[in-house]
Amino acid sequence: NKEAWKATYSTGDKPDWYLMKAGLVLGDWQFGNMGKPALYDPATGTKKHALDSGITSVTALAADGRWLLVRTSRYLGGSKGSVNTVAAVDIDTGKMTTGVDIGSSAEQIENGSIAQNMTAVVSKSRQLVLGQTP
């Protein structure tokens, strides 16, 4: 029943977080998702590592156990545009799984969920994509 640590977090809007066994996953609130996710040590409050694998524009959709479900875009080249992609990030190591394409960048991801090793993503057109983490 004592304060473990206190820190100030600077963000463009407001902070968003998941409290996980491995620590505090903290990032910027982005329209219901979390941008720039990073893992912070629960004992000290110091940043352990980023959870975006160095990819720009990664947002977290959900978290459970050791996994963080993230969304990003993959550029297809030329006039083909880009696609929304989801992947899981191992919170302990920061390593991201290979992404799964969900649909064109116009096909918004409405919701994502992860529980143990199962993932589910629903697109705006009500397409449901199920997957498993390694």
Side-chain angles (χ1 to χ4, degrees), residues 2-127:
K2 288 193 259 177
E3 184 177 283
W5 52 269
K6 187 184 257 183
T8 301
Y9 179 71
S10 176
T11 178
D13 191 2
K14 59 184 178 180
D16 197 3
W17 64 86
Y18 296 111
L19 185 55
M20 311 288 294
K21 185 176 181 179
L24 178 66
V25 176
L26 183 63
D28 298 338
W29 181 86
Q30 291 185 349
F31 305 103
N33 298 317
M34 178 196 309
K36 302 177 187 172
L39 178 65
Y40 289 78
D41 188 298
T44 65
T46 58
K47 184 176 177 179
K48 286 178 138 181
H49 53 259
L51 297 172
D52 59 9
S53 291
I55 299 171
T56 326
S57 187
V58 167
T59 57
L61 302 171
D64 182 58
R66 69 178 245 228
W67 296 104
L68 182 70
L69 183 64
V70 297
R71 174 186 55 84
T72 188
S73 295
R74 185 170 67 83
Y75 181 62
L76 299 173
S79 62
K80 296 177 184 176
S82 60
V83 293
N84 283 320
T85 301
V86 294
V89 179
D90 184 321
I91 292 171
D92 293 326
T93 65
K95 293 184 180 177
M96 187 180 292
T97 63
T98 302
V100 174
D101 293 345
I102 300 300
S104 73
S105 57
E107 181 65 30
Q108 297 295 315
I109 294 173
E110 289 290 310
N111 202 344
S113 185
I114 188 164
Q116 295 177 352
N117 69 333
M118 286 293 298
T119 63
V121 177
V122 179
S123 70
K124 192 170 186 174
S125 65
R126 298 182 183 164
Q127 174 188 4

